[in-house]
Amino acid sequence: MECTTVRPGVQCRFMGKKGCNYIGGTCLEIVEECKGCTKIVQYGNREFCSVYPDPAARWRRGTCNFATHVKREDRRPSGKDINPLKAAKRAQR
Ligand code: SF4
């Protein structure tokens, strides 16, 4: 349904007939770590995330997985591509 709280006119899965079903009944504003992300949308003079209703929760356990402004470390050894099937077979040996 369409949001009637902080992002009027935007389709939102948390919106119901009785209003916003998200915790606290509204989306929360972005946090400092979000600055620079392309997912930020501005409504009035407030900034929200277009993906998550509670951006702070996304950063509580590390880097937000949808953040567009953060470079992620390549965890693969020396940049080699790993075939998951071969890796599973190797692990069985
Ligand atoms: S996608 Fe993540 S980093 Fe970007 S605005 Fe949303 S919560 Fe913040």
Side-chain angles (χ1 to χ4, degrees):
M1 288 183 75
E2 266 186 27
C3 179
T4 57
T5 57
V6 293
R7 302 187 298 162
V10 174
Q11 290 294 322
C12 181
R13 62 192 157 116
F14 291 108
M15 209 62 199
K17 288 179 183 166
K18 294 179 182 174
C20 181
N21 294 317
Y22 193 69
I23 306 161
T26 180
C27 284
L28 302 172
E29 288 187 65
I30 60 160
V31 290
E32 196 59 37
E33 291 91 333
C34 296
K35 299 272 185 210
C37 181
T38 58
K39 307 278 186 196
I40 295 172
V41 286
Q42 191 155 1
Y43 292 95
N45 56 359
R46 301 168 72 194
E47 291 179 313
F48 298 94
C49 174
S50 62
V51 184
Y52 296 118
D54 185 2
R58 299 310 310 178
W59 287 94
R60 231 168 263 148
R61 290 188 179 175
T63 307
C64 170
N65 55 338
F66 274 92
T68 57
H69 60 308
V70 177
K71 283 260 183 206
R72 284 177 185 57
E73 284 181 27
D74 190 358
R75 293 190 201 158
R76 291 175 291 176
S78 66
K80 287 182 181 175
D81 283 334
I82 296 173
N83 182 331
L85 294 175
K86 287 182 179 178
K89 283 181 184 174
R90 219 176 293 127
Q92 287 178 345
R93 283 186 231 147

